Amino acid sequence: MGKWRAAAVAMLAVLALGGAGTTGAAAAPPEPYEVWLVDQSDSAGRSSGGTIRVYAGDDVTRDLSQAEPVQVIDLGGAASSLCAASTGALPVRPHMIVFNRAETHAALSFVASGHVVVFDAATRRPLACLRTEAGAGGARQAHALWPTEDDRYLIIANQNGKKLERISTDYAAGRFVQEPAATLDLAGCTTPNEAPCQAPGLRPDNAPICPFIASDNGPVFVSLRGGGMLVADWRTTPMSIVGEYDDAHIPANGCGFIEAEGFVFGDGGGGTPANLDQFSVFRLPMGGYSPANPPNTPAVERLYDDEAADRDAHGTAVSTRERHIWVGDRDGNVAEVFDGVTGAHEGTVDLVSPFSADPTVDLFASSPDHKWIFASTRGPHPLSGDPHSSHGSDPGMLVIRVTADGKSGQVRGLIRVSNPDAAGLERADPHGIRVRVVPATG
């Protein structure tokens, strides 16, 4: 799979898509929704902050030439002030965003500074700012985060600190508490089978990339930068390992996971100097994890592996019917489609269009009716470093219409964002993206 541009480096994303059609009785009116797009470049004139653009679903699926955000949240404002007051440091490089189960609140991780900010989703007001612990070599990051299905906790991947951390969440009371006693040291721990959590030839680099909890509210799946994976019980204090996989079974650099038909689908990709190019997809059962299991149990099913140049996998979203899984390729600017039931590879969707010859899609989100897919697209000066698979030409949000009952799609437009620096260089670098259903009461 060749590049669609010279000198392109990009990332991939895993996406589960639902069908585009309806059957039987007349379909209910579509739920109103918002798309939240995170630009991880600094606020204008600052070396911290960032931006969240909130778009109305109707606006981004009708006349795209007129699509403008209904609100722009400058993270260099109230969020930065709150973090400075709460932690003594400013938040840098907003990376991943999630909504709690009730979709009343958003949580945003800052990968460079290690901050987590919780927002009231309706008012956009920041309510709390916490910061991950210093870990390996004094490093701390908040690369990604995931809420538990009961809205009791946020699980945080402290990437370079090599820790899995937990924040207690009481959204109704507005109370958010970091729980250091729950932290799992991924670099220094020992597995239930008395193996080191991190070791050459086993799990060589336990920087956690993305955590994921399925709809059964079971254990948290944690992808690792160097390959292999750990599955943890997030309810115990400290959190405890209930599943261990080595790098021969689970590929490196996975982010992230998605649930379909009782399985958790995951990816593995390139994007790092040691492993620039890889496109792998695997799946595991949602249940069956226990500290009494031998390593690599339950068994991994590898669905697809391609180590050719210009391939790299990254990111997730879920479908209603769980029938088709899309895996986006940032280097090749395509998406590979998999059967959600059998896991079989079903085809390829081209994401190059007249709107962008090199969209460099990063993460995906789907509309509540799963007729539309939205993808963040990276900028020409990405913040992921070099070499890295994330250089794009058109920072913004790609809008894709799902077709063929979820087996294919058509790019309908690109909503561009911009954040030039004082020298005129385009610094916009969209990354996190999520869809939120807007409650009927507003």
Side-chain angles (χ1 to χ4, degrees), residues 195-223:
C197 287
Q198 177 176 278
L202 192 63
R203 286 169 292 272
D205 180 0
N206 276 9
I209 305 300
C210 289
F212 176 76
I213 298 168
S215 62
D216 62 352
N217 211 25
V220 56
F221 297 79
V222 185
S223 58

Side-chain angles (χ1 to χ4, degrees), residues 9-375:
V9 245
M11 298 177 78
L12 313 174
V14 176
L15 176 62
L17 301 180
T22 58
T23 58
E31 296 175 283
Y33 64 94
E34 303 170 331
V35 186
W36 291 42
L37 178 69
V38 178
D39 179 2
Q40 56 185 343
S41 63
D42 296 331
S43 296
R46 294 175 175 263
S47 56
S48 59
T51 307
I52 301 174
R53 291 173 172 83
V54 182
Y55 298 88
D58 283 349
D59 292 344
V60 295
T61 56
R62 291 180 179 172
D63 185 358
L64 293 180
S65 65
Q66 301 299 316
E68 294 289 341
V70 295
Q71 189 162 359
V72 177
I73 305 170
D74 180 3
L75 301 170
S80 285
S81 297
L82 179 60
C83 289
S86 301
T87 70
L90 293 172
V92 181
R93 198 176 154 206
H95 200 59
M96 296 284 214
I97 190 166
V98 295
F99 294 107
N100 65 326
R101 178 72 173 175
E103 298 193 336
T104 58
H105 292 72
L108 176 67
S109 63
F110 287 78
V111 67
S113 61
H115 287 92
V116 172
V117 176
V118 180
F119 295 84
D120 181 301
T123 66
R124 330 298 195 201
R125 184 169 64 92
L127 304 176
C129 180
L130 305 98
R131 197 179 188 195
T132 54
E133 305 168 29
R140 72 173 101 207
Q141 291 182 304
H143 182 269
L145 67 176
W146 199 265
T148 61
E149 288 289 304
D150 55 10
D151 274 354
R152 291 175 56 203
Y153 296 104
L154 285 167
I155 308 301
I156 316 298
N158 181 345
Q159 183 177 249
N160 282 356
K162 298 190 176 180
K163 293 186 176 188
L164 190 69
E165 301 187 28
R166 192 171 76 194
I167 294 172
S168 173
T169 53
D170 184 339
Y171 297 104
R175 186 166 55 249
F176 309 96
V177 180
Q178 197 163 0
E179 298 188 343
T183 296
L184 179 58
D185 179 1
L186 301 178
C189 61
T190 300
T191 73
N193 287 284
E194 299 185 353
C197 287
Q198 177 176 278
L202 192 63
R203 286 169 292 272
D205 180 0
N206 276 9
I209 305 300
C210 289
F212 176 76
I213 298 168
S215 62
D216 62 352
N217 211 25
V220 56
F221 297 79
V222 185
S223 58
L224 304 172
R225 184 165 58 200
M229 184 177 71
L230 295 172
V231 184
D233 183 346
W234 49 265
R235 292 177 172 86
T236 63
T237 302
M239 292 182 282
S240 54
I241 296 169
V242 295
E244 54 189 279
Y245 293 84
D246 60 38
D247 61 356
H249 288 79
I250 300 290
N253 301 317
C255 192
F257 301 97
I258 204 65
E259 175 188 334
E261 300 293 342
F263 288 93
V264 172
F265 287 71
D267 66 14
T272 61
N275 189 48
L276 275 175
D277 303 294
Q278 184 174 353
F279 188 104
S280 296
V281 181
F282 63 91
R283 68 178 184 178
L284 288 158
M286 284 169 52
Y289 300 91
S290 167
N293 287 345
N296 305 306
T297 304
V300 180
E301 185 180 358
R302 292 291 280 261
L303 304 177
Y304 196 91
D305 286 286
D306 187 352
E307 297 183 6
D310 309 325
R311 305 222 71 175
D312 177 25
H314 182 83
T316 64
V318 69
S319 77
T320 301
R321 298 192 308 145
E322 303 177 357
R323 190 63 182 86
H324 303 289
I325 308 296
W326 285 29
V327 182
D329 183 337
R330 290 181 295 189
D331 261 353
N333 289 313
V334 300
E336 306 293 352
V337 183
F338 296 83
D339 188 296
V341 176
T342 68
H345 181 242
E346 293 190 305
T348 304
V349 179
D350 189 357
L351 297 178
V352 170
S353 72
F355 306 102
S356 177
D358 178 27
T360 313
V361 293
D362 199 276
L363 298 175
F364 290 79
S366 57
S367 62
D369 61 7
H370 299 280
K371 294 181 179 181
W372 296 91
I373 300 302
F374 311 104

